[in-house]
Amino acid sequence: MLEQEIFRATDPGRIRDLARAHPWATLISHTPDRGLIVSHLPVLVDDPRQDAGDTRDTGCTLLGHLARTDARKHELGSHEVVVVIQGPHGYISPSWYEETPHVPTWNFTVLHVHGRPEVLDPADTYDVLSATVDHFEDRLPEPWRLAREESYAHRIATAVTGFRLPATKVTAKAKLSQDEREEIVLRLAGALESRRPYAVPELARAMRDIRRKP
């Protein structure tokens, strides 16, 4: 990924917040026999390890799980992988600037987490499954818990491979019109809040937020 300094995101807290808010990720491996293998999966930020400072100075450790057959295709644990997490993004029309010259562009936030996965044992894999359920269910008025179907859940968990990914490299990018004047950024953010079909309010909030933070 092209890393222009003006769009580089380096704050570990904001990087982890991006991963927490957008847990649907893409896992990419390059295997000797099959070449590139790509899977899509939910990932979690491994909060206890962050609290302990175990981030290998990169600011992000992820937890995830795959069907065991997919994990075998990735040869999970035998080489480095990349996890791609896509944050809010959207099309920016030249007409929204109300001045020229401008061309169409795309604003976005994205996170690439590199590392060699640590394959988990069955007990830890079950814990990842339970934590993943909790992460999504906690937002509901009456959260459902994996323990409600514990016997069945333990049985199907044998077909799943959990992993922990301590990052050896993190690349985060937030292209949010930082190269434009503040009045233009606010104009674009307003368009993203109201201009159908390209309204992306979350992206507008990110553009406003980055102007307020150092």
Side-chain angles (χ1 to χ4, degrees), residues 70 79 91 101 109 136 155 159 172-173:
D70 287 339
H79 52 71
Y91 176 75
T109 57
F136 295 102
R155 189 162 66 252
K173 188 171 183 177

Side-chain angles (χ1 to χ4, degrees), residues 28-38 73-74:
I28 304 167
S29 301
H30 186 272
T31 62
D33 296 330
R34 295 186 177 93
L36 288 171
I37 305 294
V38 181
K73 289 180 180 179
H74 281 274

Side-chain angles (χ1 to χ4, degrees), residues 77-146:
S78 64
H79 52 71
E80 188 172 85
V81 304
V82 181
V83 171
V84 179
I85 296 174
Q86 177 67 66
H89 61 94
Y91 176 75
I92 305 295
S93 169
S95 64
W96 297 350
Y97 292 87
E98 299 179 11
E99 65 178 36
T100 56
H102 281 96
V103 295
T105 190
W106 206 277
N107 276 6
F108 62 90
T109 57
V110 69
L111 171 63
H112 294 181
V113 180
H114 299 245
R116 185 167 181 165
E118 302 169 355
V119 175
L120 302 178
D121 63 27
D124 286 339
T125 293
Y126 184 85
D127 288 343
V128 169
L129 294 175
S130 184
T132 302
V133 171
D134 290 349
H135 177 80
F136 295 102
E137 287 287 328
D138 281 348
R139 302 183 185 186
L140 300 179
E142 298 181 12
W144 187 91
R145 301 304 183 197
L146 199 60

